[in-house]
Amino acid sequence: MSTAETFAALSRSIGGGSGLLTGWVGLPDPLIAGLVAREEVDAVTLDMQHGSVTIGNAVQGIGQVLLGGKPAIVRIPVGEFQTASRMLDVGASGIIAPMINTVADAKLLAAYTKFPPVGERSWGPPLALNVSGLAMQDYLERANKLTVAIAMVETRESLAILDDILAVPGIDGVFVGPSDLSIALSSPPVLDAGSKAVDEMLDHVLQRCRAHGKAACMFATTGARAKEMRARGYDLIAIGNDVQQIRLGVKTMVDQARA
Ligand code: 3PY
Ligand code: MG
């Protein structure tokens, strides 16, 4: 696949129960993102919300992910919508925005990720032109459909306005954060990404996404959970994160050695 085809692969394949798997990288060294990209994932997400990925790391990380033959997604920090534009400008194929709790938040996400007339994204995509292989006017005309904007649903507020979020032009789908959602749905708060309440909401979100013709995405904390979500019809599923996977690898080998 050419770099341009890799860049376009996310928008082309997401939807209709695509069951894409994304790696999830929070460690800052871009080489880690490149390493994950070369495994059998469909995309790699760089996490600027809870990970320690800076703008500089993300620019380099996107390059490494593309070199590894996969499209790059960036989860921006809460409310930092200008970072969404900057990440698209340097070649990200998708943006995940956490804590989208109001329709105004969803509109801001669309505004910063889509060019007019859908949004208000400002012009200036130096690396994205290079990566997409498109001339300036072609990029302007095609970028809104070549990249995806995903709003995170992880609070009661956001669940209550799910249909309104999905109806915002430019929002291509929603991403369920089951950990925050489990905290929001329990009293006293209990962290349980696999709770019954979360599970019911995952079905509900999937059904509403289908009704709006938009992508349903979620974070799975285990491979088995990711498999289940693919079977249920989710379009994009994160499979744990880099720190978890490194620790698991070390523990597995140490346990084998000491068994
Ligand atoms: C959550 O589960 O709350 C997430 O944000 C996934 O990273
Ligand atoms: Mg969260």
Side-chain angles (χ1 to χ4, degrees), residues 24 75 152 154 177-180 219:
W24 195 272
R75 175 162 77 169
M152 284 194 75
E154 45 187 351
S179 294
D180 276 312
F219 189 96

Side-chain angles (χ1 to χ4, degrees), residues 1-9 63 66-67 70 93 130-133:
M1 243 200 288
S2 68
T3 307
E5 285 166 342
T6 302
F7 169 72
L66 285 164
L67 267 178
K70 303 294 160 56
S93 299
N130 186 245
V131 159
S132 67

Side-chain angles (χ1 to χ4, degrees), residues 95-110:
I95 298 295
I96 297 173
M99 293 284 172
I100 299 296
N101 294 334
T102 64
V103 174
D105 288 341
K107 286 185 175 164
L108 277 171
L109 174 59

Side-chain angles (χ1 to χ4, degrees), residues 8-254:
L10 179 68
S11 60
R12 210 179 40 232
S13 50
I14 198 168
S18 47
L20 303 176
L21 299 177
T22 179
W24 195 272
V25 172
L27 292 171
D29 193 322
L31 293 177
I32 295 170
L35 197 71
V36 175
R38 287 178 181 82
E39 297 300 323
E40 296 293 315
V41 292
D42 300 296
V44 177
T45 302
L46 300 161
D47 185 12
M48 297 178 73
Q49 183 196 10
H50 292 298
S52 39
V53 175
T54 63
I55 295 247
N57 301 144
V59 177
Q60 310 254 359
I62 290 167
Q64 287 294 328
V65 171
L66 285 164
L67 267 178
K70 303 294 160 56
I73 303 169
V74 177
R75 175 162 77 169
I76 60 171
V78 178
E80 289 192 16
F81 298 108
Q82 77 275 24
T83 302
S85 303
R86 293 182 76 183
M87 292 296 103
L88 293 178
D89 286 345
V90 296
S93 299
I95 298 295
I96 297 173
M99 293 284 172
I100 299 296
N101 294 334
T102 64
V103 174
D105 288 341
K107 286 185 175 164
L108 277 171
L109 174 59
Y112 279 88
T113 52
K114 305 293 178 182
F115 287 117
V118 179
E120 300 165 22
R121 182 178 165 195
S122 167
W123 178 258
L127 293 180
L129 287 177
N130 186 245
V131 159
S132 67
L134 294 172
M136 287 196 263
Q137 184 63 30
D138 287 340
Y139 184 82
L140 175 63
E141 289 171 14
R142 295 184 51 200
N144 286 358
K145 293 220 179 309
L146 272 176
T147 59
V148 297
I150 310 284
M152 284 194 75
V153 168
E154 45 187 351
T155 61
R156 282 180 184 272
E157 291 85 342
S158 144
L159 276 177
I161 55 162
L162 178 59
D163 278 301
D164 300 327
I165 292 173
L166 284 164
V168 172
I171 296 296
D172 298 299
V174 298
F175 187 109
V176 178
S179 294
D180 276 312
L181 194 57
S182 72
I183 293 169
L185 296 179
S186 54
S187 177
V190 176
L191 179 66
D192 179 5
S195 74
K196 190 163 175 292
V198 168
D199 218 48
E200 283 170 7
M201 284 308 144
L202 281 163
D203 280 339
H204 172 64
V205 170
L206 177 61
Q207 193 249 328
R208 296 321 303 152
C209 286
R210 286 286 166 272
H212 287 263
K214 297 200 172 176
C217 317
M218 62 88 62
F219 189 96
T221 48
T222 65
R225 182 69 160 165
K227 181 175 180 178
E228 187 195 332
M229 290 301 145
R230 292 187 87 213
R232 278 206 220 175
Y234 264 77
D235 296 300
L236 176 73
I237 302 147
I239 41 155
N241 64 42
D242 53 348
V243 172
Q244 172 193 358
Q245 287 152 1
I246 291 169
R247 291 183 65 190
L248 179 65
V250 174
K251 180 175 167 21
T252 302
M253 292 192 76
V254 168

